[in-house]
Amino acid sequence: MLEEIKRLSKEHNETFPVLAVIVFNTSHAHLIEALRKQSYVDALDEITGSEIGVFWAARPAGRVELPTFPHGSIGMMLPVYEEPASNKTLYRFFDIEDGQSLPLLVTFSFDSDDCLYFSKTKLPENSAEDAFNQLKKILSDKASLLRDFSDDLKEDRGKMFKELELFDSANEASGLLGSLIRVVGQLRSATNI
């Protein structure tokens, strides 16, 4: 899978300033359902246009196992998450801890020296519609921002990703602030303050 992503990246890195891969595992049924709907895929393709090339990578799900100990020894029976070996190289490439942190949208690009720049965004898994709506919002916002970037900025992938990271940080902060305001509002209405 990692070699395929590298190959696709080299093919499309000149066409698109940013590439994205939706990384999920086979247990994310809602995201799989969303990506199987051709109308959703077409909508994402139209949103991203010539700014972001989007791919997806379905990985086998890991599992929680109890450790084994040699006969006659005593140990703590704490569950351990076991990741399939086929996932580890892809996860290391994008600095993903393990399959428990999926699904993620990873936006990335390579510069002329093959230096990798990337950012990760956690995706919700409540329903197919939520998964699609979140993908649509993130990709739409990033594609819109990329359209406003100058050609010189798009050529300097390091600077471009710093701008995208600032945008991601501002969106994350506004999302947290909005959540905090909603919680305070709920507390005020519950306590009649």
Side-chain angles (χ1 to χ4, degrees):
M1 177 59 69
L2 177 59
E3 291 307 315
E4 188 173 340
I5 287 176
K6 284 182 178 179
R7 182 183 57 75
L8 289 169
S9 299
K10 289 197 185 302
E11 283 178 26
H12 298 286
N13 203 40
E14 295 302 316
T15 308
F16 298 99
V18 173
L19 301 171
V21 63
I22 304 164
V23 184
F24 57 97
N25 63 40
T26 51
S27 68
H28 297 116
H30 295 300
L31 188 56
I32 292 169
E33 181 184 345
L35 292 174
R36 283 189 177 156
K37 290 184 178 181
Q38 190 60 44
S39 59
Y40 283 2
V41 173
D42 292 343
L44 291 176
D45 188 41
E46 189 169 315
I47 289 166
T48 57
S50 61
E51 305 304 322
I52 304 173
V54 182
F55 308 96
W56 55 81
R59 307 305 309 144
R63 63 184 177 279
V64 176
E65 296 180 345
L66 292 174
T68 58
F69 300 100
H71 182 69
S73 66
I74 299 174
M76 293 189 75
M77 295 299 283
L78 295 175
V80 176
Y81 184 78
E82 285 294 320
E83 193 67 58
S86 62
N87 295 352
K88 291 181 181 177
T89 55
L90 176 67
Y91 292 173
R92 243 188 325 257
F93 187 69
F94 287 123
D95 196 28
I96 299 170
E97 187 175 326
D98 59 35
Q100 292 178 312
S101 60
L102 300 180
L104 290 172
L105 173 69
V106 181
T107 52
F108 66 101
S109 188
F110 291 93
D111 65 12
S112 57
D113 297 326
D114 283 338
C115 185
L116 172 68
Y117 300 95
F118 67 92
S119 66
K120 302 176 287 194
T121 307
K122 181 82 171 132
L123 297 172
E125 250 292 293
N126 301 333
S127 69
E129 289 77 22
D130 283 349
F132 169 74
N133 288 335
Q134 185 68 12
L135 277 170
K136 179 181 170 185
K137 181 182 180 344
I138 294 167
L139 291 171
S140 176
D141 290 349
K142 286 190 181 205
S144 178
L145 185 63
L146 284 164
R147 285 182 193 99
D148 293 339
F149 285 172
S150 69
D151 289 339
D152 290 338
L153 184 57
K154 288 179 184 177
E155 287 298 317
D156 187 342
R157 302 294 166 96
K159 281 185 180 178
M160 180 182 69
F161 260 81
K162 284 182 182 169
E163 292 294 323
L164 287 172
E165 286 174 1
L166 286 172
F167 176 75
D168 289 342
S169 297
N171 273 348
E172 190 175 308
S174 69
L176 290 173
L177 183 60
S179 296
L180 181 60
I181 290 170
R182 280 191 298 278
V183 168
V184 168
Q186 289 172 345
L187 285 173
R188 288 182 69 188
S189 67
T191 58
N192 293 323
I193 295 177

